[in-house]
Amino acid sequence: MGVSHKALVLGAGFVTKPTVQILSDAGVDVTVACRTLSSAQSLCHSIKNTTPVSLDANDQQGLDSALEKVDVVISLIPYTFHATVIKSAIRTKTNVITTSYVSPAMMELDAEAKEAGITVLNEIGLDPGIDHLYAVKTIKEVHDAGGKITSFLSYCCGLPAPEASDNPLGYKFSWSARGVLLALRNDAKFWQDGKIVEVKGKELMSSAKPIFIYPAFALVGYPNRDSTPYKERYSIPEAQTILRGSMRYQGFPELVRVLVDMGFLSEDPVDFLKPPSTGSSGPPTWAEATAHVLGSSSASESDLIWAISSKHTFSSNDDKSRILAGIKWLGLLSSTERITPRSNPLDTLCATLERKMAYGEDERDMVLLQHKFGVENKDGSKEVRTSTLLEYGDPKGYSAMAKLVGVPCGVATLRVLEGKIKEKGVLAPLTWEVAGPLLEDLKEGYGISMVEKTEL
């Protein structure tokens, strides 16, 4: 590919670098734009064909001006900005790539995008992304052979590798903890045995159950948002069960349930948790903050434990001991450790989680994704097919999550630049015409693939 192609990348987060590197290696001139110029400069350091700039996506004139100079814009900023970016792309007739789910606000721009003659390709990271490619592949193979998909279960997780899962939640943060915790409050909906099952956000962690993929991993899974549209999205109206979910190490849901019952996933403002004024004695201790959130008149450890027990019913004494040990490890009962006040329980807790549960310099992350298809063949015989991806990060290179989001994004961008994805409008890789070549490019060019097996 010649250097005549130009791309604009919005955002300089941890998944951005693999995308930029792929485009640079292909001879694409890449402009990396971030509100903070230093972040863009840091990302571009030592990568050829790159130019860092400062740009605010809310600046319509500046955004339009930047898009007029390029052939494609890759939006890796928060999904709430994507519709704004697409509107600018429609005005400037610029193709768009995102790794995010297609939101209603984005889909509303489909007709205008088609009229402008642009491709707006979304959902091309890991989940969503790689998961789509292999779901489409197996479903096509089964349908082409005259068979039916009777059930589809898909679970994905980004976790610390087992040796790095050394805290009570078995989890670590490589970015904001807020988004991770907020996702644990989402309602979920899925198909089970021909009926729609709904799970309220408050009960999401209670719905977690063991997931058996490899015996070495003690995993639990729970449904992720709304899986019901996938009957139509994946063209499997015959499927009686459809569930897309997330996984965590065992013990995670139980501890999170206690945090919910304590009130620590609340975004309601609390004066006691506001940053202290100048000249005050400083922020309260965690024990004092926890007492306030619990409504306890005492901040002693024994009284706090009693207050927690009054709000949550533990399944056993062993369960209670383990979870309370986790609460203590987080520091929530400490009479010496002071909070980082952020005005509400959720954000105040996040400040501590991000500090105590960050990845160490030599620690690696892990991504595990599995599809499980129930199949009824044309002759009436039944089988189970699985597609499994297990990837570990490289502490001296890309994390597993950065690689598996950033590389598919970069590969898809190249295909759009080369005119190999011809569909116009707002789309996702849900047809074999789009998904098949992407799957092959990732497998042959980057060794990214899912292991497929059949169990009779």
Side-chain angles (χ1 to χ4, degrees):
M1 179 180 291
V3 293
S4 58
H5 287 294
K6 292 179 170 59
L8 172 67
V9 177
L10 300 177
F14 81 109
V15 303
T16 308
K17 192 170 184 179
T19 301
V20 173
Q21 188 70 63
I22 285 173
L23 297 177
S24 168
D25 290 346
V28 178
D29 286 334
V30 186
T31 299
V32 177
C34 192
R35 277 188 303 181
T36 309
L37 179 60
S38 59
S39 297
Q41 289 172 328
S42 177
L43 190 142
C44 291
H45 179 67
S46 76
I47 303 181
K48 63 183 180 181
N49 303 328
T50 58
T51 304
V53 300
S54 174
L55 178 65
D56 187 338
N58 288 312
D59 176 5
Q60 179 178 313
Q61 186 175 352
L63 188 61
D64 284 0
S65 177
L67 265 63
E68 285 171 350
K69 301 171 185 174
V70 299
D71 305 299
V72 64
V73 56
I74 302 106
S75 184
L76 296 175
I77 51 181
Y79 78 93
T80 50
F81 290 99
H82 291 336
T84 299
V85 173
I86 296 170
K87 289 175 183 177
S88 177
I90 289 168
R91 290 190 294 269
T92 57
K93 293 182 167 49
T94 307
N95 295 311
V96 184
I97 308 289
T98 85
T99 59
S100 302
Y101 286 106
V102 176
S103 68
M106 294 160 69
M107 200 63 220
E108 285 177 4
L109 301 170
D110 180 51
E112 292 179 58
K114 287 176 178 173
E115 188 176 340
I118 64 171
T119 297
V120 182
L121 179 60
N122 310 280
E123 304 189 24
I124 187 56
L126 165 65
D127 175 7
I130 294 172
D131 59 343
H132 287 333
L133 308 184
Y134 282 84
V136 170
K137 178 179 185 290
T138 296
I139 290 166
K140 174 178 167 55
E141 290 171 351
V142 171
H143 284 172
D144 285 353
K148 299 177 182 178
I149 301 293
T150 57
S151 65
F152 173 75
L153 302 175
S154 178
Y155 285 95
C156 186
C157 62
L159 296 170
E163 74 277 5
S165 61
D166 54 353
N167 64 57
L169 282 166
Y171 196 85
K172 292 194 173 173
F173 299 96
S174 50
W175 64 95
S176 168
R178 193 176 207 274
V180 175
L181 293 186
L182 283 176
L184 303 177
R185 303 187 335 193
N186 289 329
D187 294 345
K189 189 189 297 187
F190 56 95
W191 286 98
Q192 183 171 322
D193 299 327
K195 297 179 181 178
I196 291 177
V197 176
E198 298 188 53
V199 180
K200 293 298 181 185
K202 191 173 182 181
E203 302 301 321
L204 187 64
M205 291 297 95
S206 300
S207 73
K209 61 181 182 180
I211 301 295
F212 301 99
I213 297 178
Y214 294 115
F217 297 133
L219 299 166
V220 294
Y222 51 90
N224 185 14
R225 302 197 185 216
D226 187 359
S227 299
T228 59
Y230 284 85
K231 271 200 178 201
E232 181 178 350
R233 295 198 88 198
Y234 283 166
S235 300
I236 47 174
E238 72 274 21
Q240 297 298 294
T241 296
I242 301 175
L243 187 153
R244 300 172 82 249
S246 299
M247 292 183 290
R248 296 289 184 263
Y249 288 123
Q250 69 177 19
F252 179 96
E254 292 85 352
L255 183 46
V256 169
R257 281 172 57 200
V258 175
L259 293 173
V260 170
D261 289 346
M262 290 172 68
F264 273 110
L265 263 63
S266 169
E267 296 178 274
D268 295 338
V270 176
D271 288 342
F272 192 75
L273 300 179
K274 287 183 177 178
S277 58
T278 304
S280 68
S281 59
T285 65
W286 257 115
E288 292 168 337
T290 298
H292 197 90
V293 172
L294 286 169
S296 171
S297 59
S298 166
S300 71
E301 182 172 303
S302 59
D303 286 338
L304 291 177
I305 289 174
W306 183 90
I308 293 169
S309 300
S310 71
K311 291 179 176 288
H312 181 85
T313 302
F314 295 95
S315 62
S316 66
N317 285 332
D318 286 345
D319 185 56
K320 180 177 180 179
S321 296
R322 181 182 62 78
I323 291 173
L324 289 177
I327 297 292
K328 292 178 184 178
W329 183 91
L330 291 173
L332 304 191
L333 307 185
S334 174
S335 59
T336 57
E337 186 178 337
R338 296 192 178 274
I339 68 169
T340 302
R342 291 188 178 173
S343 301
N344 64 56
L346 174 69
D347 290 316
T348 301
L349 175 63
C350 285
T352 288
L353 295 183
E354 289 165 8
R355 179 171 55 83
K356 290 194 169 188
M357 296 169 58
Y359 279 93
E361 187 175 342
D362 295 321
E363 292 182 335
R364 59 183 185 159
D365 70 328
M366 175 188 87
V367 164
L368 180 58
L369 165 65
Q370 186 179 73
H371 296 327
K372 182 176 287 188
F373 305 86
V375 176
E376 182 178 319
N377 294 310
K378 186 177 181 179
D379 63 3
S381 63
K382 296 180 179 181
E383 63 189 28
V384 174
R385 297 193 189 186
T386 58
S387 305
T388 308
L389 169 63
L390 174 61
E391 180 88 22
Y392 290 99
D394 178 0
K396 294 180 173 56
Y398 297 137
S399 69
M401 186 62 73
K403 174 182 176 181
L404 296 179
V405 174
V407 172
C409 180
V411 168
T413 302
L414 289 180
R415 292 194 65 81
V416 169
L417 284 172
E418 293 165 355
K420 293 179 179 177
I421 295 178
K422 302 185 185 301
E423 289 84 347
K424 307 301 179 185
V426 178
L427 59 138
L430 299 176
T431 64
W432 186 240
E433 289 72 25
V434 174
L438 287 169
L439 185 154
E440 287 302 317
D441 283 355
L442 289 170
K443 183 177 181 179
E444 299 302 324
Y446 300 91
I448 296 174
S449 65
M450 297 184 75
V451 176
E452 298 173 291
K453 294 183 177 181
T454 299
E455 306 166 11
L456 299 177

PDB file of all heavy atoms in Angstrom, residues 141-162:
ATOM      1  N   GLU A 141     -21.527 -22.493   8.152  1.00  0.00           N
ATOM      2  CA  GLU A 141     -21.197 -23.888   7.850  1.00  0.00           C
ATOM      3  C   GLU A 141     -22.369 -24.810   8.164  1.00  0.00           C
ATOM      4  O   GLU A 141     -22.708 -25.702   7.369  1.00  0.00           O
ATOM      5  CB  GLU A 141     -19.962 -24.316   8.652  1.00  0.00           C
ATOM      6  CG  GLU A 141     -18.665 -23.667   8.181  1.00  0.00           C
ATOM      7  CD  GLU A 141     -17.498 -23.936   9.108  1.00  0.00           C
ATOM      8  OE1 GLU A 141     -17.721 -24.490  10.222  1.00  0.00           O
ATOM      9  OE2 GLU A 141     -16.358 -23.591   8.749  1.00  0.00           O
ATOM     10  N   VAL A 142     -23.002 -24.597   9.318  1.00  0.00           N
ATOM     11  CA  VAL A 142     -24.135 -25.443   9.720  1.00  0.00           C
ATOM     12  C   VAL A 142     -25.321 -25.241   8.780  1.00  0.00           C
ATOM     13  O   VAL A 142     -25.938 -26.205   8.308  1.00  0.00           O
ATOM     14  CB  VAL A 142     -24.534 -25.146  11.184  1.00  0.00           C
ATOM     15  CG1 VAL A 142     -25.850 -25.853  11.541  1.00  0.00           C
ATOM     16  CG2 VAL A 142     -23.421 -25.581  12.137  1.00  0.00           C
ATOM     17  N   HIS A 143     -25.640 -23.994   8.495  1.00  0.00           N
ATOM     18  CA  HIS A 143     -26.772 -23.708   7.602  1.00  0.00           C
ATOM     19  C   HIS A 143     -26.520 -24.212   6.189  1.00  0.00           C
ATOM     20  O   HIS A 143     -27.431 -24.765   5.543  1.00  0.00           O
ATOM     21  CB  HIS A 143     -27.053 -22.203   7.594  1.00  0.00           C
ATOM     22  CG  HIS A 143     -27.760 -21.717   8.816  1.00  0.00           C
ATOM     23  ND1 HIS A 143     -27.961 -20.383   9.091  1.00  0.00           N
ATOM     24  CD2 HIS A 143     -28.328 -22.378   9.863  1.00  0.00           C
ATOM     25  CE1 HIS A 143     -28.623 -20.243  10.223  1.00  0.00           C
ATOM     26  NE2 HIS A 143     -28.849 -21.449  10.713  1.00  0.00           N
ATOM     27  N   ASP A 144     -25.290 -24.049   5.702  1.00  0.00           N
ATOM     28  CA  ASP A 144     -24.969 -24.506   4.347  1.00  0.00           C
ATOM     29  C   ASP A 144     -25.122 -26.022   4.212  1.00  0.00           C
ATOM     30  O   ASP A 144     -25.415 -26.536   3.128  1.00  0.00           O
ATOM     31  CB  ASP A 144     -23.545 -24.099   3.951  1.00  0.00           C
ATOM     32  CG  ASP A 144     -23.444 -22.611   3.612  1.00  0.00           C
ATOM     33  OD1 ASP A 144     -24.488 -21.941   3.558  1.00  0.00           O
ATOM     34  OD2 ASP A 144     -22.304 -22.124   3.414  1.00  0.00           O
ATOM     35  N   ALA A 145     -24.930 -26.732   5.333  1.00  0.00           N
ATOM     36  CA  ALA A 145     -25.056 -28.191   5.322  1.00  0.00           C
ATOM     37  C   ALA A 145     -26.471 -28.649   5.631  1.00  0.00           C
ATOM     38  O   ALA A 145     -26.724 -29.854   5.780  1.00  0.00           O
ATOM     39  CB  ALA A 145     -24.072 -28.794   6.328  1.00  0.00           C
ATOM     40  N   GLY A 146     -27.401 -27.691   5.744  1.00  0.00           N
ATOM     41  CA  GLY A 146     -28.797 -28.038   6.000  1.00  0.00           C
ATOM     42  C   GLY A 146     -29.134 -28.243   7.456  1.00  0.00           C
ATOM     43  O   GLY A 146     -30.215 -28.744   7.785  1.00  0.00           O
ATOM     44  N   GLY A 147     -28.229 -27.861   8.343  1.00  0.00           N
ATOM     45  CA  GLY A 147     -28.460 -28.045   9.774  1.00  0.00           C
ATOM     46  C   GLY A 147     -29.058 -26.822  10.449  1.00  0.00           C
ATOM     47  O   GLY A 147     -29.325 -25.797   9.807  1.00  0.00           O
ATOM     48  N   LYS A 148     -29.268 -26.941  11.766  1.00  0.00           N
ATOM     49  CA  LYS A 148     -29.841 -25.870  12.564  1.00  0.00           C
ATOM     50  C   LYS A 148     -28.955 -25.584  13.777  1.00  0.00           C
ATOM     51  O   LYS A 148     -28.331 -26.495  14.323  1.00  0.00           O
ATOM     52  CB  LYS A 148     -31.234 -26.254  13.071  1.00  0.00           C
ATOM     53  CG  LYS A 148     -32.249 -26.531  11.985  1.00  0.00           C
ATOM     54  CD  LYS A 148     -33.564 -26.983  12.623  1.00  0.00           C
ATOM     55  CE  LYS A 148     -34.620 -27.320  11.561  1.00  0.00           C
ATOM     56  NZ  LYS A 148     -35.870 -27.804  12.208  1.00  0.00           N
ATOM     57  N   ILE A 149     -28.931 -24.325  14.196  1.00  0.00           N
ATOM     58  CA  ILE A 149     -28.304 -23.943  15.465  1.00  0.00           C
ATOM     59  C   ILE A 149     -29.405 -23.965  16.521  1.00  0.00           C
ATOM     60  O   ILE A 149     -30.333 -23.154  16.472  1.00  0.00           O
ATOM     61  CB  ILE A 149     -27.675 -22.542  15.385  1.00  0.00           C
ATOM     62  CG1 ILE A 149     -26.619 -22.464  14.281  1.00  0.00           C
ATOM     63  CG2 ILE A 149     -27.091 -22.138  16.733  1.00  0.00           C
ATOM     64  CD1 ILE A 149     -25.378 -23.292  14.529  1.00  0.00           C
ATOM     65  N   THR A 150     -29.336 -24.895  17.460  1.00  0.00           N
ATOM     66  CA  THR A 150     -30.373 -24.978  18.488  1.00  0.00           C
ATOM     67  C   THR A 150     -30.056 -24.118  19.705  1.00  0.00           C
ATOM     68  O   THR A 150     -30.961 -23.676  20.413  1.00  0.00           O
ATOM     69  CB  THR A 150     -30.566 -26.435  18.940  1.00  0.00           C
ATOM     70  OG1 THR A 150     -29.305 -26.949  19.420  1.00  0.00           O
ATOM     71  CG2 THR A 150     -31.057 -27.296  17.781  1.00  0.00           C
ATOM     72  N   SER A 151     -28.754 -23.882  19.940  1.00  0.00           N
ATOM     73  CA  SER A 151     -28.372 -23.018  21.057  1.00  0.00           C
ATOM     74  C   SER A 151     -27.039 -22.350  20.756  1.00  0.00           C
ATOM     75  O   SER A 151     -26.200 -22.896  20.022  1.00  0.00           O
ATOM     76  CB  SER A 151     -28.279 -23.801  22.368  1.00  0.00           C
ATOM     77  OG  SER A 151     -27.237 -24.755  22.310  1.00  0.00           O
ATOM     78  N   PHE A 152     -26.846 -21.160  21.313  1.00  0.00           N
ATOM     79  CA  PHE A 152     -25.598 -20.421  21.141  1.00  0.00           C
ATOM     80  C   PHE A 152     -25.249 -19.758  22.467  1.00  0.00           C
ATOM     81  O   PHE A 152     -25.990 -18.909  22.969  1.00  0.00           O
ATOM     82  CB  PHE A 152     -25.747 -19.359  20.050  1.00  0.00           C
ATOM     83  CG  PHE A 152     -24.553 -18.447  19.919  1.00  0.00           C
ATOM     84  CD1 PHE A 152     -23.378 -18.889  19.329  1.00  0.00           C
ATOM     85  CD2 PHE A 152     -24.595 -17.141  20.399  1.00  0.00           C
ATOM     86  CE1 PHE A 152     -22.276 -18.055  19.215  1.00  0.00           C
ATOM     87  CE2 PHE A 152     -23.506 -16.304  20.289  1.00  0.00           C
ATOM     88  CZ  PHE A 152     -22.343 -16.758  19.695  1.00  0.00           C
ATOM     89  N   LEU A 153     -24.143 -20.194  23.054  1.00  0.00           N
ATOM     90  CA  LEU A 153     -23.635 -19.603  24.297  1.00  0.00           C
ATOM     91  C   LEU A 153     -22.255 -19.038  24.010  1.00  0.00           C
ATOM     92  O   LEU A 153     -21.403 -19.721  23.430  1.00  0.00           O
ATOM     93  CB  LEU A 153     -23.532 -20.649  25.409  1.00  0.00           C
ATOM     94  CG  LEU A 153     -24.816 -21.387  25.789  1.00  0.00           C
ATOM     95  CD1 LEU A 153     -24.508 -22.474  26.815  1.00  0.00           C
ATOM     96  CD2 LEU A 153     -25.839 -20.409  26.356  1.00  0.00           C
ATOM     97  N   SER A 154     -22.022 -17.802  24.400  1.00  0.00           N
ATOM     98  CA  SER A 154     -20.727 -17.172  24.160  1.00  0.00           C
ATOM     99  C   SER A 154     -20.299 -16.413  25.407  1.00  0.00           C
ATOM    100  O   SER A 154     -21.040 -15.564  25.907  1.00  0.00           O
ATOM    101  CB  SER A 154     -20.809 -16.206  22.968  1.00  0.00           C
ATOM    102  OG  SER A 154     -19.574 -15.560  22.757  1.00  0.00           O
ATOM    103  N   TYR A 155     -19.119 -16.741  25.910  1.00  0.00           N
ATOM    104  CA  TYR A 155     -18.588 -16.063  27.091  1.00  0.00           C
ATOM    105  C   TYR A 155     -17.197 -15.524  26.789  1.00  0.00           C
ATOM    106  O   TYR A 155     -16.391 -16.192  26.123  1.00  0.00           O
ATOM    107  CB  TYR A 155     -18.503 -17.016  28.282  1.00  0.00           C
ATOM    108  CG  TYR A 155     -19.836 -17.329  28.909  1.00  0.00           C
ATOM    109  CD1 TYR A 155     -20.551 -18.466  28.546  1.00  0.00           C
ATOM    110  CD2 TYR A 155     -20.385 -16.486  29.871  1.00  0.00           C
ATOM    111  CE1 TYR A 155     -21.782 -18.758  29.121  1.00  0.00           C
ATOM    112  CE2 TYR A 155     -21.617 -16.765  30.451  1.00  0.00           C
ATOM    113  CZ  TYR A 155     -22.306 -17.903  30.079  1.00  0.00           C
ATOM    114  OH  TYR A 155     -23.519 -18.188  30.655  1.00  0.00           O
ATOM    115  N   CYS A 156     -16.927 -14.312  27.293  1.00  0.00           N
ATOM    116  CA  CYS A 156     -15.625 -13.691  27.062  1.00  0.00           C
ATOM    117  C   CYS A 156     -15.164 -13.019  28.354  1.00  0.00           C
ATOM    118  O   CYS A 156     -15.979 -12.584  29.171  1.00  0.00           O
ATOM    119  CB  CYS A 156     -15.714 -12.657  25.940  1.00  0.00           C
ATOM    120  SG  CYS A 156     -14.116 -11.944  25.459  1.00  0.00           S
ATOM    121  N   CYS A 157     -13.839 -12.928  28.533  1.00  0.00           N
ATOM    122  CA  CYS A 157     -13.307 -12.202  29.679  1.00  0.00           C
ATOM    123  C   CYS A 157     -11.916 -11.670  29.376  1.00  0.00           C
ATOM    124  O   CYS A 157     -11.166 -12.240  28.580  1.00  0.00           O
ATOM    125  CB  CYS A 157     -13.254 -13.083  30.931  1.00  0.00           C
ATOM    126  SG  CYS A 157     -12.167 -14.527  30.782  1.00  0.00           S
ATOM    127  N   GLY A 158     -11.600 -10.557  29.991  1.00  0.00           N
ATOM    128  CA  GLY A 158     -10.248 -10.045  30.051  1.00  0.00           C
ATOM    129  C   GLY A 158      -9.857  -9.996  31.509  1.00  0.00           C
ATOM    130  O   GLY A 158     -10.451  -9.249  32.298  1.00  0.00           O
ATOM    131  N   LEU A 159      -8.918 -10.846  31.901  1.00  0.00           N
ATOM    132  CA  LEU A 159      -8.562 -11.025  33.312  1.00  0.00           C
ATOM    133  C   LEU A 159      -7.054 -10.994  33.485  1.00  0.00           C
ATOM    134  O   LEU A 159      -6.305 -11.170  32.523  1.00  0.00           O
ATOM    135  CB  LEU A 159      -9.089 -12.377  33.814  1.00  0.00           C
ATOM    136  CG  LEU A 159     -10.600 -12.585  33.843  1.00  0.00           C
ATOM    137  CD1 LEU A 159     -10.923 -14.046  34.116  1.00  0.00           C
ATOM    138  CD2 LEU A 159     -11.240 -11.689  34.896  1.00  0.00           C
ATOM    139  N   PRO A 160      -6.588 -10.803  34.730  1.00  0.00           N
ATOM    140  CA  PRO A 160      -5.165 -11.046  34.953  1.00  0.00           C
ATOM    141  C   PRO A 160      -4.865 -12.527  34.747  1.00  0.00           C
ATOM    142  O   PRO A 160      -5.717 -13.382  35.023  1.00  0.00           O
ATOM    143  CB  PRO A 160      -4.955 -10.626  36.412  1.00  0.00           C
ATOM    144  CG  PRO A 160      -6.305 -10.593  37.034  1.00  0.00           C
ATOM    145  CD  PRO A 160      -7.291 -10.360  35.945  1.00  0.00           C
ATOM    146  N   ALA A 161      -3.686 -12.824  34.209  1.00  0.00           N
ATOM    147  CA  ALA A 161      -3.278 -14.225  34.113  1.00  0.00           C
ATOM    148  C   ALA A 161      -3.317 -14.834  35.511  1.00  0.00           C
ATOM    149  O   ALA A 161      -3.219 -14.115  36.513  1.00  0.00           O
ATOM    150  CB  ALA A 161      -1.879 -14.316  33.519  1.00  0.00           C
ATOM    151  N   PRO A 162      -3.487 -16.159  35.618  1.00  0.00           N
ATOM    152  CA  PRO A 162      -3.662 -16.767  36.942  1.00  0.00           C
ATOM    153  C   PRO A 162      -2.637 -16.335  37.985  1.00  0.00           C
ATOM    154  O   PRO A 162      -2.993 -16.044  39.130  1.00  0.00           O
ATOM    155  CB  PRO A 162      -3.557 -18.269  36.638  1.00  0.00           C
ATOM    156  CG  PRO A 162      -4.095 -18.396  35.253  1.00  0.00           C
ATOM    157  CD  PRO A 162      -3.619 -17.163  34.539  1.00  0.00           C
TER     158      PRO A 162
END
